[in-house]
Amino acid sequence: MTKIDSKIPQGPLAEKWSYYKSHQKLVNPSNKRRLDVIVVGTGLAGGSAAASLGELGFNVLNFCIQDSPRRAHSIAAQGGINASKNYQNDGDSVYRLFYDTIKGGDYRAREANVHRLAEVSGSIIDQCVAQGVPFAREYGGLLDNRSFGGAQVSRTFYAKGQTGQQLLLGAYSALSRQVGKGAVKLYTRYEMLDVVIVDGRARGIIARNLVTGKIERFAAHAVVIATGGYGNAFFLSTNAMGSNGSAAIQAYKKGAYFANPCYAQIHPTCIPVHGENQSKLTLMSESLRNDGRIWVPKKKEDAEAIRAGKKKPTDLKEDERDYYLERRYPAFGNLVPRDVASRAAKERCDAGFGVGATGLAVYLDFSAAIERLGQKTVEARYGNLFQMYEKIVDDNPYATPMMIYPAIHYTMGGVWVDYELQTSIPGLFAIGEANFSDHGANRLGASALMQGLADGYFVLPYTIQNYLADQITVPRFSTSLPEFETAEKEIKDRIAKLMSIKGTRSVDSLHKQLGLVMWDFVGMGRNKAGLETAIAKIKEVKKEFWSNVRIPGSGDDLNIELEKALRVADFIEIGYLMATDALHREESCGGHFREEYQTEEGEALRQDDKFSYVGCWKFNGEGKEPELLKEELVYEAIKVQQRNYKA
Amino acid sequence: MEKIINITLKVWRQRGPKEKGKFETYPLSGVSTDSSFLEMLDMLNEELVNKGQEPVVFDHDCREGICGMCSLYINGHPHGPDEDVTTCQLHMRKFKDGETITIEPWRSAGFPVIRDLMVDRTAFDKIMQAGGYVSVNTGGIPDANAIPISKVDADEAMDSASCIGCGACVAACKNASAMLFVSAKVSQFALLPQGRVEGARRAKAMVAAMDELGFGNCTNTGACEAECPKNISISNIARLNREYLCAKLAD
Ligand SMILES: Cc1cc2nc3c(=O)[nH]c(=O)nc-3n(C[C@H](O)[C@H](O)[C@H](O)COP(=O)(O)OP(=O)(O)OC[C@H]3O[C@@H](n4cnc5c(N)ncnc54)[C@H](O)[C@@H]3O)c2cc1C
Ligand code: SF4
Ligand code: FES
């Protein structure tokens, strides 16, 4: 069996990163200019990495699907970014952030990576402030913090409800500066379609110019994937329309392991589904749970009356409401981690207490906060979110409680990487949400932005040098090498095949079909029979897709249907991996809830003796089952416990 | 309450930047007033694809009003008739049963049409590359709380920083000026001590890039502010003018 080496440096946990940095190989300034690095993605991870590598003197080629790097999906993050600055003097520390992240991830993350993440978290805030990111401040002029789910300290920095936007614009500014200087060359409206391997190393990519439809080749000494998460396998999610998992699948098919695909996060506070033509779900930031209280009616009759439009939520008195999170989890209350909050909402709705026309919604109520703080303060904190809600739902959340329901939001799984963020293919790196990341089985709120920027600003620019230092004598590659030739031909054949099907189903209709299977069987509550059904149904979708999809227009031209089709073909593969992984993992942990494995109170029940490992899936060829490899997780600094948010 | 309406769409269709475009008319029935405008266009495209025709090309991504990717000139307004929203946040409840809705791309020399309703806004990136940043490298930075910043300034900087780079201001302006966009960035940095340091250089560089890229002059009509989905105030333009003047005087 292939041995998985995560290359964790020696020494005590808190000293590993310093040890690594002081012993790693570096590239001297005059050699940097001769080394090309491809960075695919311009989100927080890719944008910050491309800018930082450009500053260091590498020659960077940076790709994104959108018309501008500033539009990467990181822009949509609302709530905030964690850092263990302990500015509030409330007992925070690197260790506590590390501990909370491991615990939040249900003891399925790699200790050394998480500790490093907590260590660099403070520098991220320093960096962003220096770039002119307008974080929220207190009257004294110092930075303000809020608290977020899964933590008992206030360590979340924010910029209104637009934190991701401001952080991304900071990275985009830094990137723009390097583009202006010629250190980074931008390729916008380009989509990577394959990674090219030469002599076992990643040496370039094949990309499609989305404006002309032309397939182009790009060579480099190293390739970095920063393409975000694959939540859109569910069709409806909080991700942007163009978010996709294709680069991860391309890497997987070239030999990189896909780790923990089943770990997906369902976010508890999204606007409920309105109808069949819905194209995406809108998140209401988790920060709302700081001041909003979640409830459903105590009595079923009341819930029924509300669903029938005969009663309004404001008609119910305090003692007729069930603040079920506060009831079940007194210590954390409305601030329990996302998976716990999501399942609790589903439990209430499944039991018949849900509200809204469909019964698939719960209330998030601000009346107590408005009374305590005044409408002005609430508006200052959440104004833009309330406006967003009102525009979508046509209801005023200052007067009536918001309605929310869980939706797929984030994928903890992704391309497997070692301590250096290198995949199992030498020279291929993965950062941000695209890698299987530091969040274990569940990510805490405000930690994705932290991880993306940690990877891009403070980790990859070091670790990639340890690889590139050996490459300084390797001359620039020619894209006419046979490996590029073959990769391009395979892509062209794939496109020609898709265009030739000329079936009767639109890409979207097939994507929706896949999404429903995922939501019904690979969603919040999973079980053996359901997952087996999912696998069978995903195979059907795949067959239907490859025999009956209809794509108008031409393959060698701008073609939005073809773009979507290429992504959906890969979502089908991802769906299959997610279901396969979920079926094999016979335990519940974090975002992966197997109904067979729960405590009497309905909490997730891990099986540490059997599943304390990272599930790495290796591609074995088309039509063959993937092979499972395991990276054992060893906990030295932390005692593994049952997660408990009650006391 | 949800209603179902029937509408007629007049949509601008154009193969490429140099080709002539024209309006095509499409009737569309069974549209829920709870759908968003772009979901309505998805419906149209689904119908077109099912007939084997090419769908209408338009830009969009986040569909929640933050990425700035969506555009569209709807019934004579950038981002449509609703206040303070982007096209993706516009809902069909703003339209009446039987209404004819005209949909055009941004029209500006600075933003050439790529296909149908999709335009090229890379000029905005170029303006940013000319000076829309604070010149700091990664690492070696003082502690984030080393320089206190008044909450008033921080909040005002945040308001300016809310610009999503959509280009509606340019589309709304009869001179196709990009002043609101440029001034928002210049103001954000000018209000913060970190950005102040190279304030003069930034204002000159960004304005020069804007002029070079073919955007027009600002004649203070205020159309940009009225159509901006993010409420970016024209007081930013006044600040940019001051910054620019001071910088020029210092030369
Ligand atoms: C609505 C919402 C709110 C959130 N709020 C928070 C929050 O408050 N706090 C928090 O910590 N996290 C939050 N998250 C999570 C966080 O925003 C993301 O995990 C994170 O921003 C991902 O960053 P990224 O750089 O990895 O990827 P992205 O920002 O998704 O960037 C992906 C990039 O890759 C490019 N790309 C993708 N595929 C290709 C391809 N094939 N070829 C070329 N380019 C490609 C895209 O164009 C884009 O530039 C939120 C997420 C959502 C959806
Ligand atoms: S100023 Fe307003 S209209 Fe102009 S680009 Fe920014 S957000 Fe869009
Ligand atoms: S699609 Fe992102 S702002 Fe409209």
Side-chain angles (χ1 to χ4, degrees):
Chain A
M1 201 172 115
T2 325
K3 190 174 159 350
I4 293 200
D5 180 9
S6 45
K7 291 200 226 145
I8 297 171
Q10 63 181 68
L13 185 63
E15 286 157 35
K16 286 183 191 295
W17 181 228
S18 312
Y19 177 86
Y20 177 90
K21 284 193 293 182
S22 33
H23 291 84
Q24 69 162 117
K25 288 175 274 182
L26 294 171
V27 181
N28 88 25
S30 62
N31 284 329
K32 284 184 182 129
R33 253 168 281 134
R34 291 194 296 194
L35 293 172
D36 303 333
V37 182
I38 286 175
V39 179
V40 188
T42 60
L44 286 179
S48 60
S52 303
L53 292 171
E55 287 161 9
L56 285 171
F58 294 103
N59 183 40
V60 181
L61 295 80
N62 192 195
F63 294 77
C64 70
I65 292 176
Q66 294 86 351
D67 67 338
S68 164
R70 66 180 291 154
R71 310 211 200 277
H73 189 52
S74 296
I75 199 97
Q78 302 169 345
I81 176 165
N82 288 331
S84 58
K85 283 283 199 186
N86 194 29
Y87 284 162
Q88 304 306 321
N89 196 29
D90 56 0
D92 202 4
S93 64
V94 166
Y95 182 83
R96 195 173 285 276
L97 174 55
F98 157 72
Y99 176 82
D100 286 349
T101 308
I102 294 274
K103 176 185 172 198
D106 224 354
Y107 305 93
R108 289 292 176 263
R110 193 189 287 152
E111 266 190 345
N113 285 50
V114 177
H115 200 277
R116 174 178 65 192
L117 176 65
E119 280 174 62
V120 304
S121 65
S123 309
I124 299 173
I125 305 303
D126 301 340
Q127 186 67 35
C128 296
V129 166
Q131 289 170 345
V133 169
F135 281 120
R137 287 177 184 270
E138 293 166 348
Y139 280 103
L142 302 183
L143 292 161
D144 192 17
N145 288 120
R146 53 169 54 146
S147 52
F148 241 62
Q152 285 171 315
V153 293
S154 282
R155 63 160 74 99
T156 306
F157 295 78
Y158 65 101
K160 275 201 172 163
Q162 292 143 252
T163 316
Q165 176 194 35
Q166 293 311 315
L167 297 175
L168 183 62
L169 293 181
Y172 165 67
S173 276
L175 178 63
S176 297
R177 177 166 161 250
Q178 295 310 309
V179 176
K181 285 185 169 174
V184 178
K185 184 149 176 22
L186 268 185
Y187 295 87
T188 58
R189 295 199 198 267
Y190 269 81
E191 184 154 355
M192 167 182 177
L193 294 183
D194 209 355
V195 49
V196 181
I197 314 284
V198 181
D199 295 334
R201 293 171 190 261
R203 289 304 193 196
I205 65 167
I206 306 289
R208 185 164 180 271
N209 179 331
L210 298 178
V211 173
T212 62
K214 214 173 141 237
I215 306 293
E216 299 177 25
R217 308 173 186 182
F218 300 90
H221 293 86
V223 176
V224 182
I225 294 176
T227 48
Y230 51 87
N232 273 349
F234 284 67
F235 185 71
L236 284 182
S237 85
T238 62
N239 290 5
M241 305 303 285
S243 295
N244 69 87
S246 292
I249 283 293
Q250 291 150 22
Y252 163 73
K253 292 203 168 165
K254 287 281 161 88
Y257 310 141
F258 203 123
N260 298 333
C262 79
Y263 292 163
Q265 182 170 78
I266 312 267
H267 196 290
T269 55
C270 301
I271 300 181
V273 176
H274 69 69
E276 233 179 89
N277 290 314
Q278 184 132 1
S279 57
K280 77 154 280 171
L281 293 169
T282 304
L283 177 81
M284 287 283 106
S285 166
E286 175 166 42
S287 60
L288 292 169
R289 286 201 275 148
N290 265 315
D291 289 309
R293 298 177 69 198
I294 296 179
W295 62 275
V296 291
K298 243 186 209 155
K299 289 185 292 212
K300 264 194 196 157
E301 305 88 82
D302 284 337
E304 281 156 15
I306 286 175
R307 289 203 291 270
K310 287 185 203 137
K311 262 192 181 173
K312 290 203 292 276
T314 40
D315 295 340
L316 298 200
K317 290 202 244 8
E318 236 358 72
D319 61 350
E320 293 171 318
R321 304 171 175 197
D322 176 16
Y323 296 93
Y324 56 87
L325 289 177
E326 297 171 25
R327 168 167 62 77
R328 286 178 65 179
Y329 308 100
F332 280 75
N334 293 297
L335 291 177
V336 291
R338 294 176 171 173
D339 55 322
V340 178
S342 296
R343 277 198 301 279
K346 176 172 154 45
E347 188 275 327
R348 282 293 81 190
C349 293
D350 289 351
F353 296 91
V355 297
T358 56
L360 291 179
V362 300
Y363 290 123
L364 177 61
D365 194 333
F366 288 88
S367 51
I370 292 174
E371 217 162 275
R372 181 165 42 100
L373 306 162
Q375 175 151 341
K376 259 220 146 106
T377 309
V378 172
E379 197 176 328
R381 285 189 192 166
Y382 311 111
N384 67 318
L385 298 171
F386 278 42
Q387 187 230 19
M388 194 147 117
Y389 181 87
E390 186 163 357
K391 289 288 178 194
I392 294 175
V393 182
D394 206 21
D395 210 358
N396 173 3
Y398 293 100
T400 18
M402 279 185 182
M403 282 191 291
I404 53 165
Y405 199 66
I408 183 87
H409 175 60
Y410 181 89
T411 48
M412 281 76 68
V415 184
W416 182 86
V417 289
D418 60 19
Y419 187 76
E420 297 184 310
L421 305 180
Q422 187 163 213
T423 70
S424 40
I425 300 174
L428 183 66
F429 295 77
I431 57 175
E433 194 175 335
N435 71 23
F436 87 108
S437 85
D438 303 340
H439 309 291
N442 176 47
R443 170 176 73 78
L444 292 180
S447 282
L449 302 184
M450 169 173 73
Q451 182 228 333
L453 290 180
D455 287 359
Y457 284 134
F458 296 110
V459 181
L460 182 86
Y462 284 93
T463 60
I464 200 171
Q465 292 194 49
N466 204 33
Y467 173 79
L468 289 172
D470 294 338
Q471 303 293 309
I472 48 179
T473 52
V474 179
R476 289 211 152 92
F477 290 87
S478 154
T479 52
S480 40
L481 288 174
E483 288 85 350
F484 280 90
E485 204 82 47
T486 316
E488 179 177 319
K489 181 164 183 307
E490 277 170 14
I491 291 299
K492 285 190 165 156
D493 290 349
R494 187 176 167 86
I495 290 174
K497 167 87 181 85
L498 281 170
M499 297 306 298
S500 71
I501 297 170
K502 296 196 182 356
T504 60
R505 299 275 307 270
S506 72
V507 178
D508 279 356
S509 76
L510 288 154
H511 194 178
K512 281 184 193 179
Q513 189 182 338
L514 173 70
L516 278 181
V517 175
M518 298 303 292
W519 183 248
D520 287 346
F521 301 105
V522 199
M524 252 185 290
R526 305 162 171 176
N527 59 52
K528 183 164 187 284
L531 289 164
E532 282 164 356
T533 310
I535 289 175
K537 283 182 182 279
I538 294 168
K539 283 186 180 158
E540 283 166 29
V541 177
K542 181 168 177 175
K543 203 165 149 231
E544 175 77 355
F545 179 88
W546 285 100
S547 58
N548 201 16
V549 71
R550 166 186 241 161
I551 307 167
S554 141
D556 324 314
D557 189 8
L558 188 157
N559 189 330
I560 51 174
E561 291 297 309
L562 174 61
E563 288 167 27
K564 287 194 286 188
L566 286 162
R567 291 172 206 150
V568 171
D570 295 331
F571 281 133
I572 296 173
E573 306 293 321
I574 290 178
Y576 189 79
L577 276 178
M578 289 180 81
T580 305
D581 187 39
L583 182 63
H584 116 277
R585 192 167 276 278
E586 292 177 333
E587 66 163 350
S588 294
C589 57
H592 169 63
F593 192 75
R594 282 284 298 263
E595 285 157 359
E596 303 96 316
Y597 305 93
Q598 50 181 311
T599 64
E600 270 169 28
E601 292 119 344
E603 308 294 341
L605 193 62
R606 290 193 323 263
Q607 302 243 60
D608 289 332
D609 50 336
K610 295 199 191 113
F611 291 99
S612 184
Y613 60 77
V614 178
C616 307
W617 296 92
K618 185 169 171 269
F619 182 65
N620 265 341
E622 286 306 338
K624 298 217 183 81
E625 290 300 315
E627 178 187 346
L628 176 68
L629 307 176
K630 299 173 184 177
E631 178 199 337
E632 294 298 335
L633 291 168
V634 185
Y635 289 94
E636 286 168 353
I638 276 189
K639 195 165 145 277
V640 177
Q641 287 169 330
Q642 193 69 33
R643 264 190 335 167
N644 177 5
Y645 290 95
K646 288 177 193 287
Chain B
M1 270 328 246
E2 183 188 358
K3 275 193 307 202
I4 301 295
I5 58 173
N6 302 326
I7 51 179
T8 303
L9 299 172
K10 270 179 67 187
V11 183
W12 185 260
R13 307 228 43 179
Q14 183 174 344
R15 283 295 311 171
K18 302 242 156 59
E19 272 151 279
K20 247 184 86 185
K22 66 171 191 312
F23 282 107
E24 292 284 354
T25 305
Y26 305 100
L28 191 65
S29 54
V31 180
S32 158
T33 50
D34 275 351
S35 324
S36 72
F37 194 82
L38 296 185
E39 284 164 358
M40 181 276 292
L41 285 182
D42 293 342
M43 276 177 77
L44 170 70
N45 278 347
E46 177 82 12
E47 283 189 10
L48 293 176
V49 170
N50 286 338
K51 285 190 246 168
Q53 295 173 21
E54 285 190 49
V56 176
V57 175
F58 59 91
D59 267 324
H60 64 105
D61 199 26
C62 74
R63 296 211 175 182
E64 51 188 67
I66 194 77
C67 74
M69 187 98 181
C70 64
S71 50
L72 306 191
Y73 216 77
I74 304 163
N75 285 348
H77 292 281
H79 294 301
D82 199 0
E83 304 274 292
D84 305 338
V85 293
T86 52
T87 291
C88 60
Q89 294 175 296
L90 177 64
H91 275 71
M92 292 311 293
R93 59 181 82 92
K94 296 286 160 194
F95 299 91
K96 289 191 287 292
D97 191 30
E99 191 168 339
T100 296
I101 305 173
T102 307
I103 312 173
E104 297 166 79
W106 284 173
R107 295 194 192 278
S108 151
F111 298 152
V113 170
I114 295 173
R115 170 81 53 90
D116 298 340
L117 304 170
M118 177 188 271
V119 300
D120 181 356
R121 285 172 290 198
T122 38
F124 270 11
D125 284 336
K126 296 209 174 100
I127 296 176
M128 284 293 291
Q129 287 151 17
Y133 46 76
V134 175
S135 299
V136 289
N137 283 353
T138 303
I141 302 276
D143 186 82
N145 260 347
I147 310 172
I149 300 174
S150 100
K151 179 168 166 45
V152 181
D153 287 344
D155 287 350
E156 207 180 335
M158 177 66 215
D159 287 341
S160 303
S162 300
C163 162
I164 57 173
C166 62
C169 45
V170 176
C173 176
K174 67 179 167 67
N175 310 316
S177 167
M179 276 296 266
L180 196 60
F181 167 78
V182 172
S183 68
K185 200 36 74 188
V186 166
S187 291
Q188 173 199 341
F189 288 140
L191 284 158
L192 299 170
Q194 290 81 4
R196 248 326 337 144
V197 181
E198 46 189 337
R201 197 171 70 141
R202 176 180 309 112
K204 279 190 298 183
M206 289 181 80
V207 169
M210 170 178 79
D211 291 343
E212 221 168 87
L213 289 159
F215 294 99
N217 289 326
C218 172
T219 54
N220 278 314
T221 65
C224 53
E225 181 189 57
E227 297 289 3
C228 170
K230 295 291 146 185
N231 267 322
I232 302 295
S233 153
I234 42 172
S235 63
N236 286 300
I237 298 186
R239 184 177 293 107
L240 168 60
N241 285 335
R242 283 198 303 277
E243 293 280 323
Y244 185 78
L245 218 73
C246 289
K248 282 284 175 196
L249 284 175
D251 279 353

